[in-house]
Short mmCIF file of all heavy atoms in Angstrom, two decimals:
data_model
loop_
_atom_site.label_atom_id
_atom_site.label_comp_id
_atom_site.label_asym_id
_atom_site.label_seq_id
_atom_site.Cartn_x
_atom_site.Cartn_y
_atom_site.Cartn_z
N SER A 5 0.50 4.19 -2.59
CA SER A 5 0.15 5.65 -2.11
C SER A 5 1.11 6.72 -2.69
O SER A 5 0.89 7.87 -2.88
CB SER A 5 0.05 5.67 -0.63
OG SER A 5 1.24 5.51 -0.03
N LEU A 16 -7.58 14.08 -3.98
CA LEU A 16 -7.39 14.25 -2.48
C LEU A 16 -8.89 14.12 -1.91
O LEU A 16 -8.96 13.50 -0.87
CB LEU A 16 -6.85 15.63 -2.08
CG LEU A 16 -6.61 15.84 -0.75
CD1 LEU A 16 -5.68 14.88 -0.05
CD2 LEU A 16 -5.99 17.27 -0.49
N ASN A 27 -14.29 4.74 7.91
CA ASN A 27 -14.61 4.84 9.33
C ASN A 27 -16.05 4.69 9.73
O ASN A 27 -16.30 4.25 10.86
CB ASN A 27 -13.97 6.14 9.88
CG ASN A 27 -12.39 5.98 10.14
OD1 ASN A 27 -12.02 5.37 11.02
ND2 ASN A 27 -11.67 6.67 9.24
N GLU A 62 3.34 -6.07 41.54
CA GLU A 62 1.88 -6.47 41.90
C GLU A 62 1.70 -7.85 41.46
O GLU A 62 2.40 -8.52 40.54
CB GLU A 62 0.95 -5.67 41.14
CG GLU A 62 0.74 -4.28 41.64
CD GLU A 62 -0.25 -3.46 40.75
OE1 GLU A 62 -1.01 -3.97 39.99
OE2 GLU A 62 -0.20 -2.17 41.01
N HIS A 97 -3.12 14.72 9.23
CA HIS A 97 -3.59 15.25 7.93
C HIS A 97 -3.73 16.71 7.99
O HIS A 97 -3.38 17.55 7.14
CB HIS A 97 -4.81 14.51 7.49
CG HIS A 97 -5.26 15.01 6.15
ND1 HIS A 97 -4.60 14.84 5.03
CD2 HIS A 97 -6.43 15.72 5.78
CE1 HIS A 97 -5.34 15.36 3.99
NE2 HIS A 97 -6.54 15.95 4.47
N TYR A 99 -2.96 19.06 10.61
CA TYR A 99 -1.93 19.89 11.15
C TYR A 99 -0.68 19.80 10.30
O TYR A 99 0.03 20.78 9.95
CB TYR A 99 -1.72 19.62 12.63
CG TYR A 99 -0.72 20.53 13.32
CD1 TYR A 99 -1.07 21.90 13.54
CD2 TYR A 99 0.49 20.07 13.70
CE1 TYR A 99 -0.22 22.70 14.23
CE2 TYR A 99 1.43 20.91 14.33
CZ TYR A 99 1.14 22.28 14.62
OH TYR A 99 2.04 23.00 15.27
N LEU A 107 -4.97 7.08 2.76
CA LEU A 107 -5.28 5.96 1.94
C LEU A 107 -5.03 4.67 2.68
O LEU A 107 -5.82 3.79 2.68
CB LEU A 107 -4.42 5.94 0.61
CG LEU A 107 -4.68 4.82 -0.31
CD1 LEU A 107 -6.17 4.78 -0.80
CD2 LEU A 107 -3.74 4.78 -1.53
N PRO A 139 -10.96 -15.90 27.62
CA PRO A 139 -10.49 -14.51 27.23
C PRO A 139 -9.43 -14.55 26.16
O PRO A 139 -8.67 -15.59 26.02
CB PRO A 139 -9.89 -14.08 28.58
CG PRO A 139 -9.41 -15.31 29.29
CD PRO A 139 -10.44 -16.26 28.96
N ARG A 171 -5.48 -10.17 45.48
CA ARG A 171 -5.60 -9.07 44.55
C ARG A 171 -6.71 -9.55 43.50
O ARG A 171 -6.51 -10.39 42.67
CB ARG A 171 -4.33 -8.73 43.83
CG ARG A 171 -4.60 -7.71 42.76
CD ARG A 171 -3.20 -7.33 42.19
NE ARG A 171 -3.36 -6.07 41.47
CZ ARG A 171 -3.41 -6.05 40.22
NH1 ARG A 171 -3.27 -7.13 39.53
NH2 ARG A 171 -3.77 -4.98 39.55
N ALA A 174 -13.12 -9.79 42.64
CA ALA A 174 -14.28 -8.85 42.64
C ALA A 174 -14.98 -9.14 41.43
O ALA A 174 -14.26 -9.17 40.31
CB ALA A 174 -14.05 -7.44 42.93
#
Side-chain angles (χ1 to χ4, degrees):
S5 70
L16 185 58
N27 280 290
E62 297 176 4
H97 182 64
Y99 186 72
L107 181 63
R171 182 168 188 260

